[in-house]
Amino acid sequence: MSGGTHLENANPIIFQRTGERLLTATDEDENVHDPIDDREIFDILCLTINDPEHPLSLEELNVVEQVRVKVNDGESTVDIEFTPTIPHCSMATLIGLSIKVKLLRCLPSRFKIDVHITPGTHASEEAVNKQLADKERVAAALENSSLLEVVNQCLSIRSH
């Protein structure tokens, strides 16, 4: 986005939301071990992260799909593949960083979080993945107040 007027993907395809998961009695019982699963992480990402260019969720733009969320609670790993809306999306790193920040803020620190682009869906896939996998680069990005402000805007819920 340059100057807030030009959109890279002015008319994105909008997908239907899956709807919220119904809670069960064990979801509310603090005494029951409730492992973190794929759907829980998908819900966190889709209900709380917006696209940087559009007032739409990552789910509505099909950037994040439940089938591309892999959680292993026992091994404390979360693996997220996301698909930018267009192959030359300049916002791909920002979207990946927003996903990573959201999970870092929501999950226990025991989790190793891997966020990367769905293979074959972005022109700079390798470079973006390398940035998102580098702890020092992610930490440096989050120390940049301007960049952190943009990430926080993606993480603030907008009404549709």
Side-chain angles (χ1 to χ4, degrees):
M1 216 165 36
S2 60
T5 56
H6 172 73
L7 297 177
E8 284 185 15
N9 187 4
N11 295 305
I13 297 169
I14 300 174
F15 295 79
Q16 187 167 348
R17 297 179 98 148
T18 57
E20 294 187 40
R21 177 168 57 171
L22 298 174
L23 295 178
T24 64
T26 57
D27 289 328
E28 297 297 318
D29 187 346
E30 295 296 322
N31 298 318
V32 174
H33 175 66
D34 183 21
I36 295 172
D37 63 11
D38 300 355
R39 178 60 195 252
E40 186 172 353
I41 297 302
F42 175 75
D43 287 347
I44 288 169
L45 298 178
C46 291
L47 298 174
T48 62
I49 303 177
N50 290 295
D51 181 80
E53 288 192 320
H54 301 282
L56 298 166
S57 73
L58 297 184
E59 178 186 20
E60 289 171 308
L61 293 171
N62 218 35
V63 171
V64 175
E65 300 172 85
Q66 188 174 345
V67 296
R68 301 198 184 284
V69 175
K70 304 290 182 230
V71 178
N72 185 324
D73 188 73
E75 294 181 11
S76 300
T77 60
V78 175
D79 184 77
I80 308 291
E81 282 185 355
F82 70 99
T83 308
T85 57
I86 54 175
H88 289 56
C89 178
S90 65
M91 301 288 171
T93 305
L94 176 60
I95 291 168
L97 189 59
S98 296
I99 292 169
K100 194 156 194 153
V101 167
K102 183 63 181 184
L103 294 177
L104 287 169
R105 290 178 180 174
C106 290
L107 291 174
S109 59
R110 67 182 169 91
F111 277 93
K112 179 188 180 301
I113 301 164
D114 183 24
V115 177
H116 53 275
I117 292 177
T118 305
T121 63
H122 192 270
S124 302
E125 171 188 332
E126 192 176 315
V128 173
N129 288 345
K130 189 174 181 180
Q131 276 187 292
L132 293 173
D134 187 326
K135 286 182 180 180
E136 286 81 24
R137 289 174 86 172
V138 169
L142 298 179
E143 288 175 8
N144 177 325
S145 60
S146 302
L147 185 55
L148 186 57
E149 184 178 331
V150 175
V151 167
N152 285 332
Q153 287 173 2
C154 290
L155 299 181
S156 66
I157 300 170
R158 299 179 196 140
S159 58
H160 300 297

